[in-house]
Amino acid sequence: MLSVVRVHLPSEIPIVGCEITPYVLLRLPSGVVSTDDVPEAAPADGYFMRFRIQSDRKVAICSVHPMEQATIQCLGCVKSKIPVAKSYHCSAKCFSDAWQHHRVLHERASSALNENGAEEEELFGRFGSTGSGVLSTTGSGSMSNLGQSPGLNNGPVPLYPSGTDKNSGETWYEVGRTRTYTPTADDIGHVLRFECVAVDAEKKVPIGPPTSIMTSRVIPAPTPTPRRLIQVNGDVLSHLDLDSQTSFGTFSVLSYNVLADAYATSDAYSYCPTWALSWTYRRQNLMREIIGYHADIICLQEVQLNHFEDFFAPELDKHGYQALYKKRTTEVYTGAPHAIDGCATFFRRDKFSHVKKYEVEFNKAAQSLTDAIIPSTQRRVALSRLIKDNVALIAVLEAKFGNHGTDNPGKRQLLCVANTHVNVHQDLKDVKLWEVQTLLKGLEKIAVSADIPMLVCGDFNSVPGSSPHGLLAMGKVDQLHPDLAIDPLGILRPASKLTHQLPLVSAYSSFARMVGVGYDLEHQRRRMDPATNEPLFTNCTRDFTGTVDYIFYTADSLSVESLLELLDEESLRKDTALPSPEWSSDHIALLAEFRCKPRIRRTHGGGTFFHGVWDLRRDGRSGSSGKDH
């Protein structure tokens, strides 16, 4: 028959709002051990599983009518130290009808404790002498109205009858009859008990005693400290255009490595409580944080495929965002295929519409490169070094904001947003630089075809001063840079080719250019590295603290209006490092608000981008990326 082998909880501490699903290992009638549920609708050889979740909230039940919740309590019982369960009644009439039997309890208690008879008369004489059965719960003080007790009657009406454990005498309030349960604010401070038992499908009776497991006390969900937008008044690249009558629209962009669940292990982050590492907690905390930024465009990295489909896309859809996704190109699946992560870009439907999507697969670029420059006998070794399964997602969007007429295609505002995660080991500096160069060359091709503002967002795993950062920020790499000494495949030679023509500037370098004095300015300056004009850190773990995340923008077409304030390392170190109960990733979110500069359309030898874009929109194609998400 069906039996329970083992039950345990995925986290030791339940959190308000975080769904709890116990791990239940069953032995099926066939002898097979399985974690699959056996519901009543699909029994296994005549048996199914029944679940119940209870809370130890102090929900009192009537001592006379055990299926009814108590509303009044006899204070005489409390004073006489009579078992508290016998002091509860569901109504005044219930107490009046039971008084003759109930009074005997007090007489026995009084006799046993040699209590003063006059004192008992003071408590019960008026009620006992009436004989009318009339009782006011707010009058004589002989009864306590449970509705006045915040611990007893302020919660919701019970979903199911309460019960008293015969062994412990504890009162448990049944809150659910399903396998999963999401604690509410009413559960804070209380213990939850999960029960499961095999049931005979025909007789509807349990087979043996239930198996139960209890949680620690429920705690409220910690919330991240709100971060403010700081106005960048002194941005020398943009202040001349702030008053321009032809500058017509602002929008905000968020870039955030959310830490994939596959990497959020206790081995990697032993300083973070296991409950704060659980995906059920982190997803709630991350979504609360992301939604709170109200960004118009969201670029996320390390988004697992299953989490994109089951959580991020549907949740952000509720808030008005359209989603695009590109997973990493892992060719050999080990373990769960859905644990593969990738880049996800979201944009507000009321601010932008989707025009085109490009997918950059660095594996394909590596194959083309080795075919072109590596001897055939060395290609396998070269590919093993170059193939890291990284990708970039490039979206061309059309802005809906502004004061230009929609009937004039020549004045529509396009925006190109690149989102990438350059996840390459630090020892492979040549591969990391090559991937960044490959992405920039792809963006240059788009720029040649169109006069279009560009954003390059992501986790580049490259600190300020590294060759990838130099290539992004300066448009070239110093030919004497030490990173270029690591090039066993010759993919970086000649060094003079490591250039690009995009006028990219790091958004957060605007903090370093702010002029004036003030509390906000000084705080942000202290969180910037004066040598690099970048934040002191965007990634903060026990073993590493530094900046690897960036939002780059084309300074000839966009200007920075404001930036999300940076965090102070000292405030994060109270929990050792990231992630923590407050912040659910090992990275911090970056957010910049931009203004579109007046457009001066340039002529490129490659023709105009716009006609091709509108053609693609008319025939429903989305470039080489395949079906839109």
Side-chain angles (χ1 to χ4, degrees):
M1 66 183 160
L2 185 66
S3 62
V4 178
V5 177
R6 184 160 61 96
V7 178
H8 78 263
L9 297 169
S11 176
E12 74 273 22
I13 300 179
I15 316 295
V16 170
C18 297
E19 183 181 81
I20 305 172
T21 303
Y23 175 89
V24 181
L25 189 64
L26 302 175
R27 189 179 303 280
L28 302 178
S30 63
V32 175
V33 175
S34 172
T35 57
D36 294 337
D37 193 14
V38 182
E40 185 173 4
D45 291 347
Y47 300 95
F48 66 89
M49 291 301 301
R50 177 181 292 167
F51 297 92
R52 183 168 70 158
I53 305 100
Q54 298 173 302
S55 171
D56 74 341
R57 301 178 200 170
K58 302 303 181 184
V59 178
I61 58 175
C62 178
S63 59
V64 179
H65 307 98
M67 297 302 289
E68 300 295 330
Q69 184 175 343
T71 60
I72 55 178
Q73 182 181 27
C74 174
L75 296 181
C77 290
V78 177
K79 183 175 180 62
S80 301
K81 296 182 173 53
I82 294 171
V84 68
K86 297 182 180 181
S87 68
Y88 297 128
H89 294 267
C90 57
S91 66
K93 183 178 185 304
C94 169
F95 184 82
S96 175
D97 292 345
W99 173 245
Q100 295 303 322
H101 295 286
H102 186 83
R103 186 171 186 175
V104 174
L105 299 176
H106 296 277
E107 292 173 349
R108 291 175 180 171
S110 176
S111 174
L113 298 175
N114 290 318
E115 288 191 354
N116 187 296
E119 188 174 27
E120 184 180 355
E121 182 65 20
E122 182 180 352
L123 283 172
F124 296 98
R126 289 187 296 275
F127 179 80
S129 63
T130 63
S132 64
V134 177
L135 172 68
S136 170
T137 59
T138 59
S140 67
S142 60
M143 295 292 292
S144 168
N145 185 350
L146 295 187
Q148 305 301 314
S149 174
L152 295 172
N153 208 32
N154 280 1
V157 176
L159 297 174
Y160 308 104
S162 304
T164 301
D165 190 300
K166 294 181 180 179
N167 297 320
S168 65
E170 296 175 325
T171 300
W172 290 88
Y173 167 33
E174 188 170 300
V175 294
R177 292 178 178 175
T178 58
R179 184 169 179 172
T180 62
Y181 179 68
T182 302
T184 68
D186 293 318
D187 293 311
I188 294 175
H190 298 290
V191 171
L192 300 175
R193 181 168 68 183
F194 288 79
E195 287 186 355
C196 58
V197 65
V199 176
D200 186 305
E202 182 179 349
K203 299 178 180 178
K204 307 296 184 187
V205 295
I207 307 299
T211 300
S212 64
I213 187 170
M214 291 193 294
T215 70
S216 301
R217 298 197 177 277
V218 177
I219 66 172
T223 56
T225 304
R227 294 169 64 188
R228 298 169 302 151
L229 275 177
I230 307 297
Q231 192 72 28
V232 183
N233 295 316
D235 185 351
V236 298
L237 294 178
S238 66
H239 78 279
L240 295 176
D241 299 316
L242 290 178
D243 298 326
S244 172
Q245 296 301 310
T246 56
S247 184
F248 69 93
T250 61
F251 61 93
S252 56
V253 178
L254 173 75
S255 184
Y256 198 4
N257 181 325
V258 295
L259 179 59
D261 184 47
Y263 309 142
T265 64
S266 293
D267 289 339
Y269 306 103
S270 58
Y271 50 84
C272 185
T274 55
W275 60 265
L277 279 178
S278 68
W279 177 240
T280 53
Y281 172 72
R282 291 201 308 116
R283 70 181 181 184
Q284 171 188 263
N285 209 32
L286 287 167
M287 187 56 63
R288 185 191 300 113
E289 181 188 0
I290 291 168
I291 292 301
Y293 293 135
H294 305 290
D296 299 311
I297 300 171
I298 300 172
C299 295
L300 304 182
Q301 303 87 42
E302 284 196 23
V303 177
Q304 287 185 194
L305 174 61
N306 57 327
H307 294 162
F308 172 79
E309 295 174 341
D310 301 338
F311 179 70
F312 283 108
E315 287 300 313
L316 286 169
D317 177 72
K318 297 175 186 177
H319 294 274
Y321 291 92
Q322 185 171 331
L324 301 171
Y325 183 74
K326 175 59 180 174
K327 72 174 181 178
R328 295 177 66 195
T329 51
T330 302
E331 295 180 357
V332 180
Y333 293 88
T334 57
H338 292 300
I340 298 171
D341 65 283
C343 297
T345 299
F346 305 85
F347 56 91
R348 287 190 182 278
R349 296 188 192 90
D350 61 345
K351 280 284 191 85
F352 295 95
S353 59
H354 178 221
V355 175
K356 191 175 179 67
K357 173 185 174 185
Y358 298 90
E359 296 182 348
V360 179
E361 296 185 358
F362 296 111
N363 281 7
K364 289 184 178 179
Q367 186 69 57
S368 298
L369 178 67
T370 54
D371 289 346
I373 70 170
I374 305 294
S376 58
T377 56
Q378 300 175 23
R379 286 174 187 168
R380 178 174 296 181
V381 174
L383 286 174
S384 67
R385 183 177 183 87
L386 287 172
I387 289 184
K388 299 303 171 204
D389 305 313
N390 296 323
V391 296
L393 174 61
I394 302 173
V396 176
L397 308 176
E398 177 194 344
K400 296 181 179 179
F401 53 78
N403 51 20
H404 294 301
T406 56
D407 59 341
N408 188 347
K411 291 189 177 180
R412 286 178 176 171
Q413 178 64 62
L414 296 181
L415 179 68
C416 180
V417 183
N419 179 12
T420 190
H421 183 195
V422 181
N423 188 10
V424 177
H425 194 277
Q426 296 299 324
D427 293 339
L428 303 176
K429 298 183 186 299
D430 55 324
V431 180
K432 189 175 300 188
L433 177 57
W434 170 77
E435 287 194 359
V436 173
Q437 182 198 26
T438 300
L439 172 61
L440 291 171
K441 290 302 180 184
L443 292 174
E444 276 191 311
K445 291 180 181 178
I446 297 175
V448 167
S449 301
D451 176 24
I452 179 171
M454 290 192 171
L455 294 165
V456 185
C457 307
D459 173 4
F460 292 86
N461 272 293
S462 301
V463 298
S466 65
S467 57
H469 179 266
L471 182 59
L472 284 159
M474 305 301 295
K476 62 181 180 179
V477 178
D478 187 333
Q479 296 189 31
L480 299 178
H481 198 290
D483 284 0
L484 300 184
I486 302 174
D487 187 18
L489 302 176
I491 60 176
L492 305 179
R493 295 193 290 268
S496 58
K497 75 176 183 179
L498 300 173
T499 63
H500 69 86
Q501 300 301 314
L502 300 173
L504 294 178
V505 175
S506 174
Y508 270 79
S509 68
S510 300
F511 271 147
R513 297 190 297 271
M514 292 170 69
V515 296
V517 294
Y519 178 84
D520 288 337
L521 296 182
E522 291 304 315
H523 270 66
Q524 295 312 307
R525 287 194 184 110
R526 287 201 292 268
R527 296 168 188 176
M528 297 289 294
D529 182 352
T532 64
N533 287 344
E534 294 286 9
L536 289 173
F537 71 90
T538 63
N539 181 214
C540 181
T541 66
R542 185 167 54 192
D543 303 321
F544 172 81
T545 300
T547 294
V548 293
D549 306 270
Y550 306 93
I551 298 175
F552 285 94
Y553 68 100
T554 47
D556 64 339
S557 54
L558 298 171
S559 61
V560 179
E561 290 286 288
S562 56
L563 295 167
L564 185 66
E565 67 179 332
L566 296 169
L567 294 177
D568 179 58
E569 184 179 352
E570 184 179 350
S571 69
L572 302 181
R573 292 298 183 188
K574 71 180 186 297
D575 293 311
T576 303
L578 299 177
S580 67
E582 183 178 6
W583 304 101
S584 288
S585 174
D586 55 344
H587 294 248
I588 67 170
L590 300 179
L591 183 144
E593 183 185 31
F594 295 96
R595 181 180 296 273
C596 297
K597 287 186 174 183
R599 300 181 62 208
I600 303 174
R601 190 170 181 179
R602 294 187 296 269
T603 302
H604 296 286
T608 61
F609 178 74
F610 303 105
H611 297 307
V613 169
W614 310 136
D615 290 341
L616 283 172
R617 294 187 68 197
R618 279 196 292 270
D619 67 17
R621 289 179 288 141
S622 59
S624 60
S625 60
K627 183 179 178 181
D628 291 340
H629 294 280

